[in-house]
């Protein structure tokens, strides 16, 4: 039979314990809320994003260098493979010539055993001893010597190609690592920007627009391009046509650039070929100090030289800044200047 006893009422002691427990829970919750870190404000997010952009650009320039090395290796390997194919054809022709001599000997009444060995056995090991075989005719000795030289050259080319292929594999791996490092930093920066409210993002965009407008005004008011040397002036004039273009890692135009991609493209429009990365562009001309700068000179920033732009005069640089700013004018004082380079 079911029990209909009334539930036991909590004792005074039990009520006190429950009340104390609830109060403690509320207190702990309040303490946790106080201890939780504050959400970074707009300016803090911008500073962190700018730092991440710098790290991404460091990885981007290393990516550019690895890609340039990969392209160079691919060309060298293709040339070596073509040379191997040509030399293999030449070697086959020489063997055919020697075979024709042996055939003539055979038809004339016999074939020299050493020639038969060359044609039917292991010619590679035989060739090292062939020059000592005095019983061969002069023409046969000459043919054998040519074959020997061709074989050695061919072996060397194949060994070189094998080494370059291994180097290419390592370079491709490095390329992937540098690309991922840059992309991870950019993704982290974007995630930070996404933590801002719509209003904060709008304010940040407005501030960037105002800074870009001020930079453009200062840049356009800089020393005229005509005061630069001809090619440097032409490079700066070309870069000006790309103001507002997007910044994209590894891009060299025509609609998007990274920092060294823009400078390489601009000088290319002036008929001057410079290298691909900031690290190598630093050696593409004569290094100069800040007081010697003229419009169109390359200007390098940061201790490791991971950023480059074009000097625009009036203490301004025209550069592919970062994914948020794109191609724009900016004060030289906003970055740690290292030196300039006068190209050509």
């Amino acid at each position: 039979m079911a029990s209909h006893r009334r539930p036991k009422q909590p004792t005074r002691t039990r009520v006190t314990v429950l009340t104390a427990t609830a109060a403690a829970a509320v207190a702990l919750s309040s303490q946790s809320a106080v201890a939780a870190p504050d959400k970074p404000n707009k300016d803090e997010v911008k500073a962190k994003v700018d730092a991440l952009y710098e790290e991404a650009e460091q990885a981007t320039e290393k990516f550019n260098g690895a890609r340039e090395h990969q392209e160079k290796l691919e060309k060298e390997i293709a040339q070596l493979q073509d040379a191997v194919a040509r030399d293999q054809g030449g070697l086959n022709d020489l063997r055919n010539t020697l075979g024709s001599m042996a055939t003539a000997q055979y038809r004339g009444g016999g074939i020299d055993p050493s020639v038969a060995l060359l044609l039917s056995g292991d010619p590679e090991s035989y060739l090292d001893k062939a020059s000592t075989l005095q019983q061969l005719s002069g023409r046969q000795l000459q043919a054998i010597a040519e074959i020997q030289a061709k074989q050695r050259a061919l072996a060397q080319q194949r060994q070189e190609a094998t080494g370059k292929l291994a180097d290419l594999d390592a370079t491709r791996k490095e390329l992937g690592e540098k690309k991922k490092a840059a992309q991870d930093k950019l993704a982290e920066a974007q995630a930070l920007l996404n933590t801002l409210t719509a209003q904060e993002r709008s304010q940040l965009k407005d501030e960037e627009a105002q800074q870009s407008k001020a930079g453009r005004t200062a840049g356009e008011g800089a020393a005229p391009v005509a005061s630069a040397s001809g090619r440097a002036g032409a490079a700066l004039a070309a870069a000006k046509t790309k103001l507002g273009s997007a910044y994209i890692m590894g891009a060299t135009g025509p609609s998007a650039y990274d920092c060294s991609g823009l400078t390489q493209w601009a000088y290319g429009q002036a008929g001057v070929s410079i290298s691909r990365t900031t690290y190598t562009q630093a050696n593409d001309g004569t290094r100069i100090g800040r007081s010697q700068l003229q419009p169109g000179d390359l200007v390098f920033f940061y201790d490791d030289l991971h950023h480059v732009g074009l000097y625009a005069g009036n203490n301004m640089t025209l550069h592919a800044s970062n994914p948020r700013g794109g191609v724009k004018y900016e004060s030289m004082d906003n970055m740690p200047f290292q030196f300039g380079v006068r190209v050509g």
Side-chain angles (χ1 to χ4, degrees):
M1 188 170 110
S3 173
H4 296 286
R5 295 164 59 187
R6 295 178 62 189
K8 187 177 180 180
Q9 295 297 319
T11 65
R12 186 184 191 88
T13 301
R14 179 175 174 81
V15 169
T16 302
V17 170
L18 289 172
T19 303
T21 301
V26 171
L28 284 173
S29 176
S30 299
Q31 289 174 358
S32 298
V34 171
D38 293 334
K39 176 186 171 184
N41 62 35
K42 173 176 61 66
D43 293 335
E44 290 171 335
V45 167
K46 181 181 181 300
K48 290 179 180 179
V49 166
D50 286 343
L52 286 167
Y53 281 157
E54 292 304 324
E55 293 176 24
E57 192 165 50
Q58 289 173 322
T60 293
E61 286 305 310
K62 291 175 182 176
F63 163 80
N64 290 337
R67 186 165 65 178
E68 187 177 44
H69 186 49
Q70 173 186 300
E71 291 169 353
K72 179 182 176 184
L73 283 172
E74 287 172 343
K75 289 178 182 177
E76 290 175 351
I77 289 168
Q79 291 170 352
L80 276 171
Q81 289 173 336
D82 287 344
V84 165
R86 287 194 304 270
D87 285 354
Q88 184 65 60
L91 180 59
N92 292 340
D93 291 341
L94 286 170
R95 281 176 171 165
N96 290 337
T97 299
L98 189 58
S100 298
M101 293 180 192
T103 300
Q105 275 187 332
Y106 179 76
R107 288 175 179 169
I111 183 170
D112 191 295
S114 57
V115 176
L117 175 62
L118 175 65
L119 296 174
S120 61
D122 180 6
E124 283 73 19
S125 61
Y126 169 76
L127 284 172
D128 290 331
K129 303 174 185 177
S131 59
T132 65
L133 299 175
Q134 300 300 319
Q135 63 268 37
L136 294 177
S137 70
R139 287 183 64 199
Q140 289 170 336
L141 283 173
Q142 182 180 357
I144 288 171
E146 290 179 10
I147 290 175
Q148 187 179 36
K150 281 282 186 184
Q151 282 183 321
R152 286 174 176 166
L154 197 59
Q156 185 176 357
Q157 288 170 337
R158 283 175 172 156
Q159 184 177 7
E160 187 178 354
T162 299
K164 286 187 182 294
L165 283 168
D167 193 3
L168 180 60
D169 285 341
T171 300
R172 283 174 173 162
K173 181 180 178 182
E174 180 188 5
L175 189 67
E177 291 171 351
K178 300 305 180 189
K179 183 176 183 179
K180 184 178 185 303
Q183 290 175 332
D184 287 349
K185 293 297 180 184
L186 292 174
E188 189 177 349
Q190 187 58 53
L192 264 176
L193 289 171
N194 291 343
T195 65
L196 297 176
T197 65
Q199 183 180 1
E200 288 173 326
R201 286 196 296 270
S202 179
Q203 289 173 347
L204 189 59
K205 187 176 180 180
D206 289 343
E207 289 172 6
E208 289 285 343
Q210 289 173 5
Q211 290 173 2
S212 294
K213 183 178 180 180
R216 184 157 191 158
T217 300
E220 295 297 350
V225 171
S227 69
S229 62
R231 289 180 174 179
L236 180 58
K240 284 185 174 185
T241 68
K242 296 302 177 179
L243 282 165
S245 295
Y247 177 106
I248 295 180
M249 180 188 75
T252 57
S255 58
Y257 302 85
D258 60 22
C259 69
S260 55
L262 176 65
T263 50
Q264 185 189 48
W265 176 87
Y267 266 93
Q269 303 311 297
V272 182
S273 176
I274 63 174
S275 54
R276 176 63 183 92
T277 72
T278 58
Y279 312 118
T280 52
Q281 287 181 10
N283 299 313
D284 283 346
T286 304
R287 294 191 181 187
I288 54 178
R290 191 161 188 160
S291 63
Q292 300 169 287
L293 289 174
Q294 295 178 5
D297 288 335
L298 297 176
V299 282
F300 293 84
F301 302 90
Y302 301 95
D303 291 343
D304 64 353
L305 308 179
H306 71 261
H307 191 73
V308 65
L310 293 163
Y311 184 61
N314 197 27
N315 198 40
M316 302 293 292
T317 180
L318 197 167
H319 66 146
S321 58
N322 56 47
R324 193 175 63 247
V327 178
K328 66 177 184 177
Y329 287 107
E330 188 165 356
S331 170
M332 297 267 289
D333 297 332
N334 290 353
M335 298 171 286
F337 172 77
Q338 301 301 308
F339 53 80
V341 166
R342 184 155 299 150
V343 178

